């Protein structure tokens, strides 16, 4: 690393490198008086990037989530079980929160067909809460039945970033109309989340993201391994509404890598978002009851003629749905840093700042990381290795500063 480059990094961190150049302007009176030099105008300043404090002793908890991947995409069909009409709304892979409003809009329309206005929702995660709210606002009387409240669900352990096509389907096994259906769900959700921006608690917000690339790498992830799942990628279909990423020059960032891509992404403060959605549902007349379902036959205990099934990964056991494949994801939570307002992707580790903690996640060199792994036990070694990867980045960047 050259002295000049090191100097540039220190300048960005200290917010000294972003002062815009200003010239001194003078004006001469008609009588040839001495020029009057105007005061130097303030320039624009590049905001400093507060360093992430990465050390294992700042880990407050480690959580594991199993994403419910279905090769064909989310299940949104309708079937009859006994005397119940069941609308399915599960199997969104790593896109549950991101697609929730769009997917639940479809499920709501199917549930309301025939004029029924007494509806049960099974599950209290992202899809359960959004389905219940949309049904309620469509005029239905809604009760959520769930074994666990939202803080105990897998949805609550989500990373919290806008990722509408994260392991949502196998591109080689979806129906011909699925890409268009996905786009409809994504656009509906995106528009709905815009209405939650700027609220107290920041249930939805925007943050800067920096993707760090080394050597000849052109992508933060490696090539798709031979024989692996061809996970669908539909992001290009949203280019007109989602901000893009662009390259930064060496003097525009403090990171000690060959290339940096910068963009802005939407994120969810899942803790506050779930709390707000639950409160909205209850304030608008909804009810939540504790109930465990072991087989579809248990639906007979419900008085409602229509049931919306939002059981996520739990549907694999409840509905004996072997089309669901678990995709394990682990998060190491570090104590919050309110001064950090940006995320980083470096050497297959993703870092996201949230009000409830700094999310540090090993994501592997391809989307096959965690595929088929149903182990929900926390792995401390994995967590500490991810933290150490980012710690080394900042140790290099800030050395001698």
């Amino acid at each position: 690393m050259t002295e000049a480059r090191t100097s540039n990094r220190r300048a960005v961190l200290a917010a000294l490198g972003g002062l815009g150049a200003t010239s001194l302007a003078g004006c001469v009176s008609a009588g040839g008086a001495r020029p009057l030099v105007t005061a130097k105008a303030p320039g624009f300043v590049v905001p400093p990037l507060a360093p992430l404090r990465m050390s294992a002793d700042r880990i407050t908890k480690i959580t594991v989530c199993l994403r419910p991947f279905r090769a064909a995409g989310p299940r949104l069909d309708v079937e009859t079980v006994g005397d119940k009409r069941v609308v399915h709304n599960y199997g969104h892979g790593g896109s549950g929160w991101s697609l929730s409003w769009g997917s639940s809009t479809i499920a709501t329309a199917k549930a309301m067909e025939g004029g029924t206005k007494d509806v049960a929702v099974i599950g209290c995660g992202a899809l359960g809460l959004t389905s219940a709210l949309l049904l309620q606002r469509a005029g239905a009387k809604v009760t959520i039945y769930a074994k666990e409240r939202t803080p105990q669900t897998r949805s609550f352990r989500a990373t919290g970033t806008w990722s509408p096509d994260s392991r949502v389907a196998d591109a080689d096994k979806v129906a011909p109309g699925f890409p268009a259906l996905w786009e409809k769900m994504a656009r509906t959700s995106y528009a709905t989340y815009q209405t939650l921006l700027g609220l107290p608690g920041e249930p939805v917000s925007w943050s800067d993201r920096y993707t760090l690339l080394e050597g000849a790498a052109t992508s933060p992830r490696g090539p798709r391994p031979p024989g692996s799942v061809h996970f669908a990628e539909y992001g290009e279909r949203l280019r007109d509404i989602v901000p893009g990423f662009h390259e930064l020059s060496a003097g525009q960032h403090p990171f000690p890598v060959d290339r940096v891509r910068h963009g802005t992404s939407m994120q969810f403060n899942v803790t506050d978002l779930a709390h707000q959605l639950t409160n909205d549902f209850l304030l608008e007349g909804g009810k939540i009851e504790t109930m465990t379902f072991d087989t579809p036959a248990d639906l007979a205990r419900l008085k409602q003629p229509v049931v919306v099934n939002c059981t996520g990964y739990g549907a694999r056991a409840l509905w004996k749905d072997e089309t669901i494949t678990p995709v394990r994801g682990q998060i190491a939570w570090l104590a919050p840093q309110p001064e950090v307002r940006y995320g980083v992707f470096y050497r297959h580790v993703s870092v996201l700042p949230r009000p409830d903690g700094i999310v540090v996640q090993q994501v592997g060199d391809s989307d096959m990381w965690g595929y088929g792994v149903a182990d929900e036990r926390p792995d401390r070694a994995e967590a500490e290795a991810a933290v150490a990867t980012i710690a080394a980045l900042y140790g290099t960047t800030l050395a001698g500063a």
Side-chain angles (χ1 to χ4, degrees):
M1 181 187 307
T2 66
E3 181 61 27
R5 190 171 181 186
T6 301
S7 177
N8 280 340
R9 292 175 186 143
R10 293 173 182 165
V12 175
L13 285 171
L16 299 176
L19 292 175
T22 57
S23 61
L24 299 180
C27 61
V28 181
S29 67
R34 291 179 60 190
L36 298 176
V37 180
T38 61
K40 187 174 182 180
F44 291 102
V45 178
V46 176
L49 296 181
L52 286 161
R53 299 168 59 191
M54 292 283 120
S55 62
D57 60 4
R58 288 181 58 79
I59 296 176
T60 60
K61 62 180 177 180
I62 300 172
T63 60
V64 178
C65 174
L66 299 184
R67 309 172 187 92
F69 169 75
R70 296 184 77 244
R75 187 178 181 187
L76 291 166
D77 63 306
V78 180
E79 69 171 311
T80 299
V81 178
D83 61 348
K84 310 295 183 185
R85 188 159 63 90
V86 180
V87 179
H88 295 292
N89 189 15
Y90 69 84
H92 297 72
S95 304
W97 282 107
S98 297
L99 292 179
S100 59
W101 295 103
S103 182
S104 295
T105 295
I106 294 171
T108 294
K110 292 182 177 182
M112 299 291 282
E113 289 176 356
T116 300
K117 291 192 175 182
D118 194 8
V119 183
V121 172
I122 303 178
C124 207
L127 279 302
L129 288 175
T130 52
S131 292
L133 270 169
L134 289 174
L135 282 162
Q136 204 162 237
R137 291 167 182 174
K141 179 182 178 183
V142 185
T143 301
I144 294 176
Y145 297 92
K147 177 182 178 180
E148 302 167 320
R149 295 297 190 266
T150 308
Q152 287 76 50
T153 66
R154 293 184 176 93
S155 288
F156 201 76
R157 304 172 220 154
T159 304
T161 192
W162 168 254
S163 56
D165 59 353
S166 174
R167 277 159 293 201
V168 70
D170 183 335
D172 297 331
K173 297 182 179 180
V174 297
F178 181 74
L181 176 65
W182 173 90
E183 181 178 345
K184 180 180 179 181
M185 291 190 291
R187 287 180 179 273
T188 298
S189 284
Y190 188 87
T192 303
Y193 278 126
Q194 303 313 293
T195 68
L196 298 175
L197 290 164
L199 297 178
E202 293 191 286
V204 181
S205 61
W206 291 93
S207 65
D208 287 340
R209 308 290 174 84
Y210 294 89
T211 299
L212 314 185
L213 303 173
E214 297 177 302
T218 58
S219 169
R221 307 294 288 274
R224 182 160 62 94
S228 64
V229 176
H230 183 191
F231 291 103
E233 297 180 357
Y234 300 131
E236 287 296 309
R237 301 177 75 102
L238 305 179
R239 287 187 63 185
D240 59 313
I241 60 173
V242 176
F245 277 64
H246 64 278
E247 297 277 340
L248 296 181
S249 65
Q252 292 178 302
H253 66 84
F255 301 107
V257 296
D258 299 302
R259 294 173 55 211
V260 173
R261 293 177 58 79
H262 170 262
T264 304
S265 295
M266 188 164 61
Q267 69 181 65
F268 314 124
N269 175 9
V270 174
T271 300
D272 190 79
L273 178 59
H275 180 72
Q276 180 166 316
L277 297 183
T278 301
N279 281 350
D280 287 349
F281 173 67
L282 296 174
L283 288 172
E284 294 176 29
K287 294 194 302 181
I288 302 178
E289 295 188 14
T290 302
M291 187 175 292
T292 300
F293 299 89
D294 296 314
T295 71
D298 290 337
L299 298 180
R301 290 182 285 160
L302 303 178
K303 63 180 181 179
Q304 293 87 351
V306 176
V307 178
V308 181
N309 172 34
C310 304
T311 49
Y313 183 73
R316 178 181 169 88
L318 176 59
W319 296 89
K320 303 298 186 291
D321 188 348
E322 297 297 324
T323 68
I324 294 179
T325 300
V327 181
R328 184 184 187 276
Q330 174 175 289
I331 293 174
W333 297 82
L334 275 64
Q337 285 187 249
E339 73 278 13
V340 174
R341 303 287 296 182
Y342 66 94
V344 171
F345 191 105
Y346 176 63
R347 291 186 178 178
H348 313 312
V349 176
S350 173
V351 181
L352 185 70
R354 283 177 31 178
D356 53 347
I358 301 294
V359 171
V360 183
Q361 184 175 21
Q362 170 62 252
V363 298
D365 59 358
S366 81
D367 280 338
M368 291 300 291
W369 177 266
Y371 181 82
V373 180
D375 188 350
E376 291 188 273
R377 294 173 299 176
D379 184 337
R380 179 80 187 191
E382 177 186 316
E384 292 192 5
V387 170
T389 295
I390 304 301
L393 169 68
Y394 282 85
T396 300
T397 302
L398 300 175

